[in-house]
């Protein structure tokens, strides 16, 4: 699944300077997806919504106390029963019933085999109402193989653990095959979970569709099932649906849809049986959507279709996704040495979808902005997002779908892997974009900001610590996605891509249609290593990787070039924080070190202990050493003062000698080291002096990302004025460069990275008060206001122009943008406007905008939390958004999905400026006040916010005067 809280490149860049989704050394940059990645698991104790009345069995009992001696009070399923197949028929009603509800009806038949003697059947069920059998039970049971099935004693629903429990009068026979049948109804709610409804406007007509989001624990909300990833089975799906709509599922239909029971208003569509698969990967959709597909597909090719609203299909918005899907599928077939396992690959863009995307096998669901692309209105970053999210989801079709992690504690392997290879797949589809370089900025640096906290956690969590839906939801965080991606990239780098791919293919072949743990992957990678004498590891793969998987954090490698001493220690942004989580490895890692000396590559080196001395790290005269070439290692680097000075001199004399990614690294690592008190704050500031001669995107992005922390800490103090003057001085040459390159902003640069840096130049120049930039955005926005039907602003520049123009303007500009947002038919354009509306400097406008976030007629539910986050990123809106979240937490949590990934981002956004004792007290009181409501996926984020606030208080106290003096001295 792709993370759901996405900010376009333009907005992400803008946020660095103007505060829209600001990112920093301490606060994680939420620039990528939407990668997974909004998870939809709901709290296990949330009350079920009401559904339409139906003929039900006698009133069910709910477990009032979780007596662990009763298996139905444990959140994990017993091992006694294993499903083999399901026959599921569902009928969604897309108009309200007499009770004003949207509902669906269904029936299910599950075949399961008994592995251990048992007198109970425990199967997941959530918010379903069951029709009573003739015996008055919720289910009927019969034997398919073996002796006659025992009679049913009672059936009950246990709501806390979300089970349907069948108590039997006798034991099920070991190796017996049984069939259990149910008939039920459920609410087709708009809660973005399970089988749900999505609404959208087509002109002035409201349209309704039925769709699904099962991950991680909501298939049970659609039909009773053994809803754990290792409980794989085959599924036979049948949909009864309005005859004017199309039904889709994981597999192709067995034949054309036919009239249901002679009623021309209804059709029935029966789908082919799925391969053996997990419940969380099921999908079925009923809609009027139409496909974009190849006109003349080759015989034997996988059928590829991009589904969207008819208007978007007719406008060609699915064409780009269609163009890149085939090449990406073929790339992964080669990368995995395994054919795509299904006959078709459907992808569909949905109006209401809580995640960025979801890898349902053969029917991938997306937010519209992650799949559809309009060349006339979408920016290059929108295009990059589409290709990378598609690559992420298609990577899962093998890694995750064909071979699945046995339990959610190993989610990092599934999501981390997809978050790594998405860059490889996207790079194959767009080979001229250098997308592989972006993983350092988007994943590695983003997650280091969180992993450098004492409240971080290891990638792998013991299975027994992850049980409830809420605990599962907590697994969907940046550690699983971005740290997972970073350490797997590191592993691939020191093994070599060839060896990594060989081990990966062996793993997939061995466990196809089965479930695994991460240790199985290590075993197969080790076999590949053993086949290649060219790969020399100091220890087995498992021994090396255990230190990266089983302990949190990462090391800082310190080099003393006077002596050649190289050492490591656990890096913490707050050196005074206490690490309470023990590590069997004592927070030491086995580290693969790559290095340059005076620009020349040196022999790779392994650091196995706390420190050692080696001549290759010793320098003489004017030599300099630089570690972690192209930042393939998941660690940061510190040097002696003299080596830092020589690197600075090299950058100002001839920066091309140092690779682009390492020019970014020099900036990023130094800022983090200063935050940790390991170097003076002056060092990283001095490391930005070369930027006046820098034209590449990654170094500028690293600087702006790091300096955004300074902005967050100081944009409410006198320091900010001198900081703005310095930024204006440094960015003016870059602004002038792009002004010339683009022929006065009328053309776009050829390279993608240059297009991104053009936006950096405008964003930084405008926010630092460069008059030429302010005039540019004002002129462009005024031209649009004068002729609303013809937008003269290039899509790449719209985010930054919109935001700056609204910030400089007043009510007239805001109302114009709001009207354009309401009229926008393309979601990418709507997203740019929605974020830019948060840039206003008028308090009353921002307060009004906050109230709009709770009105789904104004702001879609899926966008509510990201809109609040955008307002919080505006220094004027910070306190307004924080007050709003405090006042409305219960409503936000209950109505907008406390289990979604976006709630973690929301807590980060509203607290990222906190740097006073008063704000710390407010945050502690907020935690206390809402313990009963809970925090869902924001639980860890709240603990991290408390830790960050304490670190911020100390950092500001220690560094404010020095920072103010430096900016003042260097701004002329």
């Amino acid at each position: 699944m792709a993370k759901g809280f996405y900010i376009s490149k333009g907005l992400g860049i803008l946020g660095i300077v103007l505060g829209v989704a600001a990112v920093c050394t301490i606060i994680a940059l939420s620039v990528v997806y939407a990668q997974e990645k909004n998870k939809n698991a709901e709290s296990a104790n949330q009350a079920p919504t009401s559904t339409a009345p139906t003929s039900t069995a006698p009133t069910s009992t709910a477990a009032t106390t979780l007596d662990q001696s009763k298996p139905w009070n444990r959140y994990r399923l017993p091992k006694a029963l294993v499903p083999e197949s399901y026959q599921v028929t569902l009928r969604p009603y897309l108009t309200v019933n007499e009770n004003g509800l949207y509902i669906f009806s269904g029936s299910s038949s599950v075949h399961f085999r008994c592995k251990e003697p048992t007198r109970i059947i425990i199967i997941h069920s959530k918010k379903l109402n069951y029709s009573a059998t003739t015996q008055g039970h919720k289910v009927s049971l019969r034997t398919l193989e073996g002796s006659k099935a025992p009679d049913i004693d009672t059936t009950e629903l246990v709501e806390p653990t979300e089970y349907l429990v069948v108590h039997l009068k006798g034991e099920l026979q070991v190796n017996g095959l049984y069939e259990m049948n149910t008939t039920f109804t459920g609410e087709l709610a708009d809660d973005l979970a399970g089988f749900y409804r999505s609404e959208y406007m087509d002109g002035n007509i409201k349209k309704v569709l039925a769709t699904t989001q099962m991950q991680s624990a909501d298939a049970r909300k659609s039909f009773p099932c053994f809803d754990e990833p290792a409980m794989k089975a085959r599924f036979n799906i049948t949909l009864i649906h309005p005859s004017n709509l199309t039904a889709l599922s994981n597999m192709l239909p067995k034949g054309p849809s036919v009239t249901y029971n002679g009623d021309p208003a209804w059709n029935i569509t029966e789908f082919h049986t799925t391969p053996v698969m997990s419940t969380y990967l099921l999908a079925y959709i009923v809609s009027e959507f139409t496909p974009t597909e190849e006109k003349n597909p080759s015989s034997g090719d996988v059928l590829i279709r991009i589904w969207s609203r008819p208007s978007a299909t007719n406008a060609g918005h699915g064409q780009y996704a269609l163009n890149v899907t085939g090449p990406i599928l073929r790339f992964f077939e080669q990368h995995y040495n395994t054919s795509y396992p299904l006959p078709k690959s459907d992808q569909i863009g949905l109006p209401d979808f809580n995640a960025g995307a979801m890898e349902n096998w053969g029917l991938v669901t997306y937010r519209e902005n992650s799949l559809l692309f309009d060349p006339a209105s979408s920016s290059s970053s929108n295009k990059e997002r589409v290709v990378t999210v598609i690559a992420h989801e298609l990577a899962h079709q093998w890694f995750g779908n064909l071979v699945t992690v046995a339990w959610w504690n190993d989610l990092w392997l599934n999501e981390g892997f997809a978050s790594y290879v998405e860059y490889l797949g996207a790079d194959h589809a767009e080979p001229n974009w250098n997308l592989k370089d972006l993983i350092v900025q988007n994943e590695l640096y983003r997650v280091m900001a969180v992993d450098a906290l004492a409240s971080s956690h290891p990638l792998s969590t013991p299975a027994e610590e992850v049980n409830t839906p809420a605990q599962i939801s907590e697994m969907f965080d940046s550690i699983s996605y971005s740290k997972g991606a970073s350490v797997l990239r590191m592993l691939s780098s020191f093994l070599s891509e060839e060896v990594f791919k060989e081990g990966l293919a062996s793993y997939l072949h061995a466990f196809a249609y089965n479930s695994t743990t991460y240790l199985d992957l290590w075993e197969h990678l080790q076999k590949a290593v053993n086949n290649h004498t060219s790969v020399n590891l100091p220890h087995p793969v498992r021994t090396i990787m255990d230190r990266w998987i089983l302990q949190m954090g990462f090391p800082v490698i310190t080099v003393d070039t006077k002596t050649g001493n190289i050492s490591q220690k656990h890096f913490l942004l707050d050196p005074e924080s206490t690490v309470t989580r023990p590590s069997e490895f004592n927070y030491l890692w086995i580290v693969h070190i790559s290095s340059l000396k005076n620009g020349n590559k040196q022999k790779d080196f392994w650091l196995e202990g706390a420190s050692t001395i080696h001549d290759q790290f010793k320098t003489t005269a004017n030599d300099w050493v630089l570690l972690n070439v192209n930042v393939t290692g998941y660690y940061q680097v510190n040097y002696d003062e003299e080596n830092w000075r020589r690197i600075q001199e090299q950058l100002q004399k001839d920066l091309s000698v140092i690779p682009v990614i390492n020019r970014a690294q020099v900036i990023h690592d130094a800022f983090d080291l200063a935050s940790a008190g390991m170097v003076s704050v002056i060092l990283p500031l001095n490391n930005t002096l070369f930027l006046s001669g820098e034209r590449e995107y990654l170094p500028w992005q690293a600087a702006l990302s790091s300096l955004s922390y300074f902005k967050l800490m100081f944009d409410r103090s006198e320091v900010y004025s001198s900081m703005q003057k310095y930024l204006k001085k440094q960015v003016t040459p870059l602004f002038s460069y792009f002004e010339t390159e683009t022929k006065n902003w009328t053309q776009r640069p050829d390279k993608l990275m240059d297009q991104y840096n053009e936006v950096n130049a405008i964003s930084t120049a405008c926010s630092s008060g460069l008059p030429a930039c302010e005039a540019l955005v004002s002129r462009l926005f005024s031209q649009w206001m004068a002729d609303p039907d013809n937008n003269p602003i290039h899509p790449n520049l719209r985010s930054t122009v919109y935001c700056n123009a609204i910030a400089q303007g007043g009510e007239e500009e805001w109302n114009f943008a709001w009207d354009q947002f309401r009229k926008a038919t393309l979601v990418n354009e709507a997203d740019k406007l929605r974020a830019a509306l948060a840039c206003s400097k008028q308090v009353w406008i921002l307060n009004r905008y906050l109230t709009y976030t709770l009105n789904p007629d104004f702001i879609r539910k899926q966008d509510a939390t990201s809109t609040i986050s955008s307002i919080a990123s505006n220094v004027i809106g910070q306190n307004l958004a924080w007050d709003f979240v405090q006042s409305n937490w219960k409503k936000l949590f209950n109505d907008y999905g406390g289990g979604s990934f976006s709630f973690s981002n929301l807590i980060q956004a509203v607290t990222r400026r906190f740097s006073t004792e008063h704000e710390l007290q407010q945050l502690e009181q907020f935690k206390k006040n809402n313990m009963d409501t809970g925090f869902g996926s924001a639980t860890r984020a709240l603990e991290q916010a408390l830790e960050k606030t304490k670190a911020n208080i100390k950092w500001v106290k220690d560094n404010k005067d020095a920072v103010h003096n430096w900016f003042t001295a260097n701004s002329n």
Side-chain angles (χ1 to χ4, degrees):
M1 186 193 290
K3 293 188 287 285
F5 183 34
Y6 164 69
I7 298 171
S8 72
K9 277 290 181 303
L11 291 177
I13 291 164
L14 193 62
I16 289 158
V17 187
L18 289 166
V20 179
V23 211
C24 54
T25 10
I26 294 184
I27 314 303
L29 172 63
S30 292
V31 130
V32 211
Y33 317 144
Q35 262 112 353
E36 283 91 10
K37 96 173 128 162
N38 294 342
K39 298 300 170 171
N40 306 348
E42 296 184 23
S43 167
N45 296 311
Q46 189 171 333
T49 57
S50 59
T51 57
T54 184
S55 170
T56 61
T59 305
S60 63
T61 60
T64 54
T65 59
L66 294 181
D67 176 1
Q68 292 298 300
S69 68
K70 310 294 186 186
W72 52 83
N73 288 336
R74 302 175 202 142
Y75 284 94
R76 292 298 306 274
L77 286 167
K79 305 299 183 187
L81 307 177
V82 177
E84 292 192 355
S85 67
Y86 295 81
Q87 181 78 47
V88 179
T89 300
L90 295 167
R91 183 179 188 176
Y93 295 86
L94 301 182
T95 55
V96 294
N97 65 7
E98 64 276 10
N99 298 308
L101 294 173
Y102 291 88
I103 68 164
F104 64 90
S105 61
S107 62
S108 172
S109 174
V110 56
H111 293 179
F112 59 86
R113 195 169 293 278
C114 180
K115 297 294 186 180
E116 301 169 4
T118 181
R119 297 172 66 95
I120 54 172
I121 299 169
I122 299 177
I123 191 169
H124 284 109
S125 175
K126 181 180 180 181
K127 301 182 181 180
L128 296 175
N129 288 343
Y130 290 88
S131 300
T133 65
T134 53
Q135 287 77 34
H137 301 302
K138 291 177 170 58
V139 309
S140 62
L141 181 69
R142 71 186 184 99
T143 300
L144 298 177
E145 293 177 10
S147 58
K148 181 180 181 296
D151 291 336
I152 296 171
D153 186 7
T154 60
T155 56
E156 64 173 326
L157 293 170
V158 183
E159 290 185 9
T161 47
E162 299 175 351
Y163 284 140
L164 166 61
V165 182
V166 181
H167 299 273
L168 304 172
K169 293 181 178 179
E171 282 192 345
L172 296 174
Q173 182 184 30
V174 173
N175 293 324
L177 184 64
Y178 299 91
E179 177 184 278
M180 189 176 80
N181 294 286
T182 55
T183 303
F184 50 86
T185 60
E187 184 182 357
L188 198 67
D190 61 350
D191 56 0
L192 312 179
F195 198 21
Y196 72 94
R197 80 177 187 277
S198 175
E199 299 176 357
Y200 61 96
M201 298 303 294
D202 183 7
N204 295 320
I205 302 171
K206 184 175 83 169
K207 299 292 181 70
V208 181
L209 61 85
T211 185
T212 54
Q213 171 57 32
M214 305 305 195
Q215 194 182 41
S216 50
D218 281 313
R220 65 193 68 175
K221 193 167 167 280
S222 180
F223 65 96
C225 54
F226 297 91
D227 199 11
E228 293 188 358
M231 292 285 194
K232 292 189 169 188
R234 299 181 186 274
F235 295 85
N236 301 276
I237 303 297
T238 300
L239 294 177
I240 301 168
H241 55 92
S243 56
N244 62 327
L245 302 181
T246 299
L248 298 173
S249 190
N250 304 81
M251 304 299 289
L252 288 167
K254 290 183 176 179
S257 302
V258 297
T259 302
Y260 177 67
N261 278 354
D263 184 349
W266 291 88
N267 276 359
I268 182 167
T269 303
E270 187 178 354
F271 296 91
H272 283 288
T273 305
T274 71
V276 174
M277 61 182 284
S278 301
T279 50
Y280 80 88
L281 295 169
L282 284 170
Y284 20 89
I285 298 170
V286 173
S287 74
E288 67 168 8
F289 283 21
T290 54
T292 302
E293 54 189 317
E294 294 180 13
K295 295 293 183 287
N296 298 297
S298 302
S299 175
D301 279 358
V302 172
L303 174 65
I304 298 172
R305 300 179 294 190
I306 311 299
W307 295 82
S308 57
R309 309 185 203 193
S311 58
T313 300
N314 294 336
H317 296 169
Q319 191 60 49
Y320 178 68
L322 181 68
N323 293 346
V324 298
T325 295
I328 291 172
L329 281 176
R330 288 189 288 274
F331 170 80
F332 284 130
E333 285 186 317
Q334 179 272 327
H335 193 78
Y336 297 130
N337 191 24
T338 305
S339 297
Y340 177 70
L342 301 177
K344 59 102 170 177
S345 174
D346 279 328
Q347 301 176 89
I348 185 166
L350 298 169
D352 283 311
F353 192 64
N354 210 11
M358 178 62 211
E359 66 267 20
N360 315 301
W361 217 1
L363 178 53
V364 184
T365 45
Y366 296 80
R367 282 195 184 196
E368 287 180 317
N369 67 3
S370 302
L371 184 68
L372 306 182
F373 177 78
D374 176 12
S377 303
S378 301
S379 67
S380 296
S381 63
N382 296 138
K383 197 173 189 178
E384 182 218 318
R385 171 163 176 76
V386 169
V387 70
T388 49
V389 177
I390 288 176
H392 182 103
E393 304 310 327
L394 295 184
H396 276 310
Q397 305 301 298
W398 290 264
F399 204 101
N401 297 9
L402 181 64
V403 178
T404 310
V405 292
W407 186 238
W408 299 108
N409 64 305
D410 278 338
L411 175 80
W412 74 269
L413 183 60
N414 190 8
E415 295 301 350
F417 184 85
S419 297
Y420 164 45
V421 299
E422 72 181 56
Y423 290 91
L424 308 185
D427 183 73
H428 177 79
E430 295 287 0
N432 299 320
W433 286 6
N434 294 328
L435 288 175
K436 285 192 283 190
D437 291 349
L438 287 177
I439 192 171
V440 175
Q441 181 69 43
N442 292 351
E443 309 293 341
L444 188 142
Y445 288 160
R446 171 179 181 260
V447 75
M448 277 183 165
V450 175
D451 206 22
L453 301 174
S455 57
S456 187
H457 64 93
L459 273 170
S460 186
T461 303
E464 59 272 14
E465 293 181 16
V466 182
N467 295 294
T468 69
Q471 289 168 339
I472 294 169
S473 174
E474 287 186 30
M475 295 294 101
F476 290 84
D477 66 359
S478 59
I479 296 291
S480 292
Y481 284 78
S482 299
K483 182 176 181 178
S486 301
V487 299
L488 289 169
R489 173 175 174 262
M490 175 179 68
L491 173 59
S492 177
S493 175
F494 68 68
L495 291 184
S496 81
E497 186 174 344
E498 178 189 1
V499 173
F500 187 78
K501 284 164 58 177
E502 181 181 316
L504 184 61
S506 171
Y507 166 82
L508 289 171
H509 294 162
F511 297 102
Y513 307 104
N514 215 320
S515 303
T516 66
T517 71
Y518 72 90
L519 294 176
D520 296 312
L521 179 59
W522 293 171
E523 180 184 340
H524 284 264
L525 289 171
Q526 186 63 51
K527 289 178 181 177
V529 169
N530 296 342
N531 292 336
H532 292 264
T533 55
S534 60
V535 179
N536 296 305
L537 302 181
H539 298 279
V541 170
R542 177 175 177 177
T543 303
I544 295 170
M545 295 307 296
D546 273 354
R547 286 151 178 79
W548 299 96
I549 303 308
L550 300 179
Q551 58 184 355
M552 69 181 189
F554 57 89
V556 54
I557 306 300
T558 300
V559 177
D560 185 340
T561 59
K562 297 186 295 295
T563 63
N565 183 271
I566 180 170
S567 62
Q568 63 165 303
K569 74 170 183 177
H570 183 194
F571 180 75
L572 292 169
L573 277 169
D574 179 4
E576 295 184 2
S577 60
T578 302
V579 176
T580 58
R581 185 186 293 270
S583 166
E584 61 179 299
F585 308 110
N586 297 314
Y587 290 102
L588 291 174
W589 290 261
I590 300 174
V591 190
H592 176 254
I593 307 286
S594 57
S595 64
L596 300 175
K597 182 175 282 188
N598 300 329
N600 299 313
K601 184 86 164 63
Q602 298 197 100
K603 183 180 179 181
D604 288 355
F605 178 82
W606 286 92
L607 179 60
E608 299 181 49
S611 68
T612 189
I613 294 175
H614 201 281
D615 284 346
Q616 73 181 62
F617 303 114
K618 190 174 181 178
T619 60
T620 57
N622 292 320
D623 291 349
W624 52 266
V625 169
L626 186 142
L627 270 61
N628 203 6
V629 180
N630 290 322
V631 194
T632 56
Y634 187 67
Y635 57 88
Q636 295 195 14
V637 187
N638 190 17
Y639 307 98
D640 58 279
E641 191 173 334
E642 182 62 22
N643 197 64
W644 274 119
R645 186 185 62 77
R646 290 171 182 169
I647 290 173
Q648 291 168 355
E649 290 175 351
Q650 180 64 60
L651 287 168
Q652 296 198 50
K653 181 175 65 177
D654 181 8
L655 52 76
S656 66
V657 174
I658 296 177
V660 172
I661 295 180
N662 289 101
R663 302 205 296 267
Q665 174 213 18
V666 163
I667 292 171
H668 172 271
D669 285 10
F671 273 104
D672 270 11
L673 293 167
S675 295
M678 297 183 68
V679 299
S680 162
V681 73
I682 302 306
L683 172 67
L685 291 172
N686 283 336
N687 282 2
T688 67
L689 290 169
F690 80 92
L691 288 174
S692 58
E694 178 65 82
R695 301 293 178 262
E696 293 289 342
Y697 167 69
L698 289 173
W700 265 102
Q701 185 67 17
L704 294 174
S705 295
S706 296
L707 285 170
S708 71
Y709 177 63
F710 286 62
K711 177 188 182 300
L712 290 167
M713 294 301 99
F714 297 131
D715 63 4
R716 297 176 288 179
S717 77
E718 71 278 9
V719 178
Y720 192 50
S721 175
S722 58
M723 179 179 171
Q724 282 184 301
K725 289 178 183 176
Y726 173 70
L727 283 171
K728 181 164 68 173
K729 172 189 170 186
Q730 291 296 84
V731 81
T732 296
L734 187 70
F735 184 85
S736 299
Y737 169 79
F738 280 112
E739 187 176 34
T740 301
E741 284 290 301
T742 62
K743 295 182 169 52
N744 197 26
W745 315 105
T746 60
Q747 300 176 6
R748 300 285 69 77
D750 293 332
K751 296 179 181 177
L752 183 73
M753 298 297 181
D754 288 344
Q755 292 177 30
Y756 288 167
N757 218 24
E758 177 192 20
V759 179
N760 264 342
I762 296 173
S763 296
T764 310
C766 280
S767 67
S768 59
L770 189 67
C773 185
E774 293 175 338
L776 170 68
V777 300
S778 179
R779 172 174 57 83
L780 289 171
F781 200 77
S782 296
Q783 288 175 4
W784 187 28
M785 290 179 68
D787 186 5
D789 293 332
N790 293 292
N791 189 340
I793 307 165
H794 189 276
N796 282 11
L797 307 184
R798 287 180 184 177
S799 291
T800 189
V801 170
Y802 292 172
C803 181
N804 280 285
I806 288 170
Q808 291 171 206
E811 183 179 7
E812 183 181 2
E813 286 78 8
W814 198 95
N815 287 342
F816 172 78
W818 176 254
D819 289 340
Q820 295 304 309
F821 166 71
R822 298 281 284 166
K823 294 174 185 174
T825 56
L826 185 68
V827 68
N828 286 329
E829 178 68 5
D831 285 345
K832 293 180 179 72
L833 287 161
R834 181 172 53 81
L837 286 163
C839 297
S840 173
K841 301 302 181 186
Q842 305 293 321
V843 171
W844 72 270
I845 287 177
L846 294 175
N847 265 327
R848 181 180 65 180
Y849 195 26
L850 280 166
T851 65
Y852 288 176
T853 63
L854 296 185
N855 185 342
D857 291 335
F858 287 165
I859 303 293
R860 285 190 174 278
K861 278 192 171 186
Q862 67 177 20
D863 297 324
T865 54
S866 64
T867 304
I868 298 168
S869 296
S870 294
I871 296 169
S873 295
N874 179 343
V875 65
I876 305 298
Q878 164 73 54
N879 288 336
L880 307 178
W882 171 232
D883 289 344
F884 182 81
V885 168
Q886 290 181 90
S887 300
N888 294 279
W889 181 255
K890 187 170 184 178
K891 178 175 178 59
L892 287 165
F893 187 84
N894 291 333
D895 293 359
Y896 288 73
S900 76
F901 193 87
S902 59
F903 269 71
S904 174
N905 292 310
L906 178 62
I907 290 295
Q908 286 181 7
V910 297
T911 62
R912 54 167 57 108
R913 273 190 182 83
F914 283 10
S915 55
T916 67
E917 292 291 345
H918 175 65
E919 287 165 332
L920 177 61
Q921 291 168 11
Q922 283 189 314
L923 191 55
E924 290 170 336
Q925 190 63 44
F926 171 72
K927 177 182 176 182
K928 182 179 178 182
N929 291 348
N930 293 282
M931 290 300 288
D932 290 343
T933 300
F935 303 97
S937 65
T939 303
R940 280 183 175 150
L942 181 60
E943 294 305 315
Q944 290 164 355
L946 286 163
E947 184 180 350
K948 289 170 189 172
T949 301
K950 293 171 187 175
N952 292 347
I953 291 168
K954 183 178 186 303
W955 188 88
V956 169
K957 179 182 176 182
D958 293 345
N959 294 291
K960 182 177 179 181
D961 291 342
V963 170
H964 192 191
N965 292 337
W966 190 92
F967 278 130
T968 301
N970 287 278
S971 58
N972 298 317

